């Protein structure tokens, strides 16, 4: 009989420990999530945006490649697909150059979207604010690399 009581005691103790472990796990995860949500969101924004942008462009390029290589495509469709493919490649190159030049000026990270006639720049900076000289640097870089009018340049600072 003593053996049966020992087994029951051990089983009850294990169930209680399992319950305490589950409670502590939930409580600690909630605390960590609440303190780091804004940092994680901003940090992931840049990498997630780049991955999404690249995935979308890869799909577009595959679509145009399919038109170009298809025997049933007309000459006009092939020419249009080639022109659009070249435009996407040029757009990608321009965005990459602008992003690199902005980072070279000391900004931690940035994303550039160049869709004629607009250029949008999202810049990671302290307190999500830019000084007028920082804005001037970014505008100067964008104007040097594109023929975009200053009215069509949008700069968004994020923390």
């Amino acid at each position: 009989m003593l053996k049966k009581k020992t087994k029951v005691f051990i089983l009850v103790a294990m169930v209680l420990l399992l319950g305490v472990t589950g409670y502590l796990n939930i409580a600690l995860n909630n605390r960590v999530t609440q303190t780091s949500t804004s940092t994680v969101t901003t940090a992931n924004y840049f990498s997630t945006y780049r991955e999404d942008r690249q995935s979308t462009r890869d799909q577009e390029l595959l679509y145009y490649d399919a038109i170009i290589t298809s025997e049933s495509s007309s000459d006009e469709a092939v020419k249009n697909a080639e022109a659009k493919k070249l435009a996407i490649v040029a757009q990608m190159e321009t965005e990459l150059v602008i992003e690199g030049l902005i980072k070279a000026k000391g900004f931690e990270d940035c994303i550039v979207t160049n869709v004629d006639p607009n250029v949008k720049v999202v810049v990671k900076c302290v307190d999500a604010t830019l000084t007028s000289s920082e804005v001037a640097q970014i505008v100067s870089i964008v104007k040097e690399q594109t023929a975009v009018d200053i009215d069509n340049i949008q700069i968004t600072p994020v923390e």
Side-chain angles (χ1 to χ4, degrees):
M1 199 63 141
L2 185 61
K3 231 174 187 202
K4 205 173 200 182
K5 283 184 179 181
T6 306
K7 287 181 182 179
V8 170
F9 177 74
I10 291 173
L11 184 61
V12 168
M14 302 231 3
V15 169
L16 286 174
L17 285 173
L18 182 62
V20 169
T21 304
Y23 172 77
L24 289 174
N25 185 22
I26 292 170
L28 292 174
N29 279 336
N30 285 341
R31 187 178 312 159
V32 169
T33 303
Q34 290 171 352
T35 58
S36 64
T37 300
S38 64
T39 306
V40 171
T41 303
T42 303
N44 288 337
Y45 170 77
F46 290 96
S47 61
T48 302
Y49 184 88
R50 282 191 183 95
E51 290 171 8
D52 291 346
R53 177 175 66 182
Q54 188 61 44
S55 174
T56 301
R57 287 186 176 159
D58 287 345
Q59 290 174 352
E60 286 179 292
L61 292 173
L62 286 173
Y63 172 73
Y64 291 130
D65 282 340
I67 292 172
I68 292 168
T69 59
S70 175
E71 294 178 12
S72 62
S73 297
S74 67
D75 289 339
E76 185 179 338
V78 170
K79 286 180 185 177
N80 287 338
E82 288 173 342
K84 288 185 179 192
K85 185 176 176 183
L86 288 174
I88 289 172
V89 170
Q91 179 183 1
M92 290 169 58
E93 182 179 324
T94 301
E95 290 172 354
L96 184 64
V97 168
I98 294 171
E99 287 175 1
L101 291 171
I102 290 172
K103 288 179 190 176
K105 290 290 185 180
F107 294 97
E108 186 175 339
D109 206 352
C110 71
I111 293 176
V112 176
T113 306
N114 178 25
V115 180
D116 281 337
N118 300 311
V119 175
K120 297 180 189 233
V121 181
V122 178
V123 182
K124 186 174 184 180
C125 55
V126 179
D127 298 330
T129 58
L130 293 170
T131 64
S132 58
S133 66
E134 290 172 330
V135 171
Q137 287 177 337
I138 294 170
V139 168
S140 174
I141 291 169
V142 172
K143 287 189 68 59
E144 286 173 6
Q145 299 301 316
T146 64
V148 174
D149 187 55
I150 194 167
D151 294 331
N152 294 336
I153 299 173
Q154 179 183 352
I155 302 171
T156 306
V158 294
E159 187 173 355

